[in-house]
Amino acid sequence: MTDARPHSRGPVPHGHVTLADVARHAGVSAQSVSNALNNPARVAPQTRERILAVVEELGYRPNRSARALRNQRSRLIGVRVEASRDDRAALLLDQFLHALAESASANGCHLILCQADDEAEEIAAYRELLGTTSVDAFVLTGAHAGDARVAALRDLRVPFATFGRSWDGDTDLAWTDVDGRHGLYVATSHVAAQGHRRIAHVGWPRSSETGRDRLAGWEEACKDLSLDTDLHAEVADDFDQGRTAAHRLLDLSEPATAITCASDTLALGVLRALSERGLRAGSDVAVTGFDNSPAAALSTPGLTSLRQPLEQVAHDLVTAVEALVNGATEPHQSLLQPELVVRGSSLRGQTD
């Protein structure tokens, strides 16, 4: 009968534990240890359990630099960063980058950042990174129809995935997105449940695919609830424009009593307009935002908002690019649901 216990063959010297150390203590070959860690299907379950127990006992950590040389991989994922703007409340990109860095690290990868002010500069930055640094893949943000970055990276034959679905119906694109249409449907239904019948939407211009998607959620909910769908404004994602749009909707002969917004930036502008008119968010006019930015919890009253599951978005994007780097032919695609975080701005009788 074979002894299934790890074979202790002398102490491991203090310092870095090698794969050979694990193999010696587990009583197996170095190849078996490598298979247990990287190709578990090639190792019998009991043997793998024994190897993993030794890995844990000795504190073995794979030498990722050596692995990268063998596999011709850098384990670097490129992503663009944008300068923050004073007129926007949501720090969505900052939060997303943090989540992406955590997910990349959990997969033994790291982010390499580049700065660009527009799409042409972004493509140029990617070309420079590929020419000077060994980058495995890219993650793109702000996907849109006719995205030149998609064509450029395909020409460069480098794996990538996008935060944002294909608005062109590109079935070969790897992407993860948040279902804004569903989110606005939920937000609109929520304020309707508070008794509101004049529900407006302040959204982005129709040139924004994401804006159209969120508008469609509001329209669908209104139709299902037999409510008017003429109470909407299309403005840039700007605090002052949200404020101005709210005043227009409140000046109507039959003013809106609830206003759903495509972003927290717009919603905060709406809250300012209510304050200027002596109205109370929640008690007088319900307001909802999108992104659940830090400002949403700090406003008075707190702003009801839709939270994007950025941790899951980041996880799915890293999974998608890792699969492509490893030779997958079917692109990973996922559409995630936002969560409505209810605060006083949308509740009858609530002022804080």
Side-chain angles (χ1 to χ4, degrees):
M1 181 180 297
T2 302
D3 186 355
R5 294 173 299 177
H7 294 257
S8 180
R9 300 187 180 182
V12 176
H14 180 71
H16 180 66
V17 178
T18 68
L19 185 143
D21 294 328
V22 175
R24 184 172 67 255
H25 278 250
V28 298
S29 68
Q31 184 61 53
S32 293
V33 176
S34 178
N35 286 340
L37 295 173
N38 302 304
N39 298 289
R42 297 183 180 181
V43 183
Q46 288 184 336
T47 302
R48 182 170 183 267
E49 288 178 12
R50 184 166 83 246
I51 292 170
L52 293 181
V54 174
V55 166
E56 183 68 22
E57 176 189 348
L58 299 183
Y60 171 69
R61 295 293 180 269
N63 186 326
R64 298 199 184 279
S65 296
R67 180 185 295 178
L69 288 172
R70 289 195 302 272
N71 297 340
Q72 294 185 323
R73 287 199 56 186
S74 66
R75 307 202 71 81
L76 292 176
I77 299 173
V79 62
R80 171 194 177 187
V81 295
E82 300 177 40
S84 61
R85 285 177 46 180
D86 293 337
D87 59 349
R88 289 188 180 178
L91 300 175
L92 183 67
L93 184 60
D94 292 344
Q95 296 167 332
F96 169 66
L97 286 175
H98 179 76
L100 190 66
E102 286 193 338
S103 291
S105 179
N107 282 270
C109 299
H110 299 281
L111 300 186
I112 182 167
L113 307 180
C114 64
Q115 194 278 331
D117 292 330
D118 56 36
E119 199 166 272
E121 285 189 13
E122 185 174 351
I123 293 171
Y126 291 162
R127 291 181 183 277
E128 182 177 357
L129 275 179
L130 290 168
T132 60
T133 309
S134 180
V135 180
D136 285 342
F138 289 94
V139 166
L140 309 184
T141 58
H144 58 86
D147 200 321
R149 299 170 302 171
V150 170
L153 289 177
R154 282 178 171 162
D155 286 344
L156 292 167
R157 298 184 180 276
V158 59
F160 66 94
T162 63
F163 182 2
R165 76 199 78 172
S166 168
W167 299 102
D168 298 313
D170 185 345
T171 58
D172 293 326
L173 184 68
W175 56 264
T176 296
D177 202 2
V178 176
D179 193 345
R181 179 172 184 151
H182 173 77
L184 260 297
Y185 188 99
V186 169
T188 305
S189 300
H190 162 70
V191 293
Q194 299 293 309
H196 294 282
R197 304 295 294 171
R198 296 285 289 170
I199 302 175
H201 179 67
V202 177
W204 299 329
R206 289 184 183 265
S207 58
S208 164
E209 293 91 354
T210 300
R212 292 202 304 269
D213 191 54
R214 296 178 186 183
L215 173 66
W218 168 79
E219 288 178 330
E220 184 180 356
C222 286
K223 289 176 181 177
D224 287 350
L225 295 165
S226 299
L227 304 179
D228 292 335
T229 58
D230 60 338
L231 293 169
H232 65 87
E234 299 173 13
V235 298
D237 192 26
D238 174 89
F239 176 89
D240 284 332
Q241 294 210 32
R243 170 179 164 273
T244 300
H247 279 302
R248 290 202 305 268
L249 291 166
L250 295 168
D251 281 338
L252 296 172
S253 57
E254 293 184 63
T257 65
I259 303 176
T260 65
C261 300
S263 73
D264 283 356
T265 299
L266 294 175
L268 291 170
V270 171
L271 292 182
R272 175 66 63 83
L274 295 182
S275 177
E276 291 170 346
R277 300 172 81 99
L279 298 173
R280 296 171 297 176
S283 294
D284 297 322
V285 179
V287 182
T288 69
F290 202 115
D291 285 335
N292 196 37
S293 63
L298 299 176
S299 65
T300 302
L303 175 64
T304 293
S305 187
L306 288 149
R307 186 185 75 84
Q308 300 202 48
L310 295 180
E311 296 81 6
Q312 188 63 46
V313 170
H315 172 272
D316 286 4
L317 286 171
V318 172
T319 298
V321 295
E322 281 287 283
L324 292 172
V325 169
N326 290 322
T329 56
E330 291 294 324
H332 179 90
Q333 300 170 345
S334 57
L335 185 62
L336 306 176
Q337 303 302 312
E339 172 194 3
L340 186 68
V341 180
V342 177
R343 300 187 179 94
S345 72
S346 65
L347 298 176
R348 290 278 198 187
Q350 297 291 317
T351 59
D352 52 31

